[in-house]
Amino acid sequence: MSMSRKEFIHKTGKGIIAAGAASAASPLLAGCQKSSRSSSGGFRMEIKSKRLDLRHAWTIARNTSTYKEYAFVKLEKNGIYGLGEAAHNVRYGESLESIIAALEKARPILENCDPWKFVDVNAAVQAVCEGQTAAKAAIDIALMDWISKSLGIPLYQFWGLDPQKAPQTTFSIGIDTMEMVKQKVEEAAPYPLLKIKMGKDNDEEILAAVRSVTKKTLRVDANEGWKEKELALRKVEWLAANGVDIVEQPMPSHMLEETAWVKERASIPILADESVKTSADIPRLAEAFDGINIKVDKAGGLQESLRMIWMARSLGLKIMLGCMVSSSLSITAAAHLSPLTDYPDLDGNLLLARDPFTGVTVRDGWLILPDGPGLGVSGEF
Ligand code: MG
């Protein structure tokens, strides 16, 4: 499946020249014109939806769900295919229907693009899928899978990353009855770091249940649950005294001034999640938070996530790499970025009753990236 060095230079060399010419003609369609000499037409694109049943009903401060139904994308060209998953989030105005509509809008771009100009392809897709970040993510994941598969190397290698540098990941415990919280903590025995969802009215009860069965380091996600700054600070300091090393999104995303007040006084890092979607959000968050949670699905893809990582680093921010509840396809795509992050939180696939894909695995909390070409994911589309 891999391409010889000569073929690669042949392809990309021509691609660069053609990209310059196309950009001058039309910035929107740059890299997406049939006339490109490096390409004999774009991808064959397939869209499917799949239902993913959860092991346990999943509750966070906002809602509860027992299954997810997501759109999946396959991009094929030259006998090589890339796969992507759109793990959408209702909080951001996305639904299965809106995602499929956005994917259909992007179809003409993908069917006529030169994949080697993937920066331009990504920009053109971004422009037609306004607000539908999971759709953009699915396309970009499939695109980068195809690119690195075509080169015969793992995606992390394409980016120059060392998979040995991936930090340990957390395993998340959703809000539940205290009996179930304890059971979930016990099921999470192989994971040395746990992320606990809080932010409803029983935080004390949850912490007591978790601490009755484990002494592990905990990370807490309040999912915007605490609405007053004094309350939020009190909660953060109480958690810090009980073996919690990070608190994620203590206050509603619009309450930046109050969050800055909490961060100023807190003894552990405060991370943004709901407050941040893409790189454009990061500069205004640097005062209110110590770090940000980057999710590929929410960022609109791997290329944008990489931009976010560099921007956050330049502002001195820590990086959590989060995920949605999703299959190993999305999780593995994100895991290829994990060597660049501080706090991976890539467990969304472990919450499924049956995962249609296999890819990244976890050993004692350490992420083990597959070393096959592309994402290294296998499974039926
Ligand atoms: Mg979160």
Side-chain angles (χ1 to χ4, degrees), residues 172-187:
S172 295
I173 308 293
I175 293 174
D176 212 318
T177 62
M178 293 313 115
E179 267 324 292
M180 283 305 294
V181 165
K182 284 191 213 175
Q183 189 192 319
K184 286 174 175 177
V185 170
E186 279 165 350
E187 282 175 14

Side-chain angles (χ1 to χ4, degrees), residues 123-234:
V125 169
Q126 296 276 335
V128 299
C129 295
E130 189 65 41
Q132 299 296 310
T133 56
K136 295 186 254 192
I139 291 167
D140 194 47
I141 290 168
L143 187 56
M144 299 317 294
D145 187 24
W146 188 91
I147 290 287
S148 43
K149 260 185 196 159
S150 296
L151 295 171
I153 58 173
L155 182 56
Y156 63 76
Q157 193 179 351
F158 176 71
W159 284 326
L161 305 180
D162 178 357
Q164 305 289 334
K165 290 192 175 161
Q168 281 179 306
T169 187
T170 42
F171 182 84
S172 295
I173 308 293
I175 293 174
D176 212 318
T177 62
M178 293 313 115
E179 267 324 292
M180 283 305 294
V181 165
K182 284 191 213 175
Q183 189 192 319
K184 286 174 175 177
V185 170
E186 279 165 350
E187 282 175 14
Y191 302 91
L193 300 166
L194 300 180
K195 178 161 139 179
I196 313 292
K197 294 282 190 178
M198 288 193 181
K200 290 203 149 180
D201 51 11
N202 61 345
D203 298 338
E204 286 73 13
E205 204 187 350
I206 291 173
L207 187 73
V210 172
R211 280 291 175 234
S212 74
V213 285
T214 187
K215 291 190 166 67
K216 288 174 184 173
T217 295
L218 305 177
R219 289 169 183 167
V220 163
D221 187 355
N223 283 117
E224 314 182 279
W226 305 321
K227 319 285 185 204
E228 288 151 20
K229 63 183 183 184
E230 291 82 5
L231 170 73
L233 180 62
R234 207 159 58 236

Side-chain angles (χ1 to χ4, degrees), residues 195 197 221-223 248-249 273-274 293 295 320 345:
K195 178 161 139 179
K197 294 282 190 178
D221 187 355
N223 283 117
E248 190 180 328
Q249 200 73 46
D273 183 8
E274 284 85 347
N293 187 348
K295 294 177 182 165
M320 178 181 274
D345 177 30

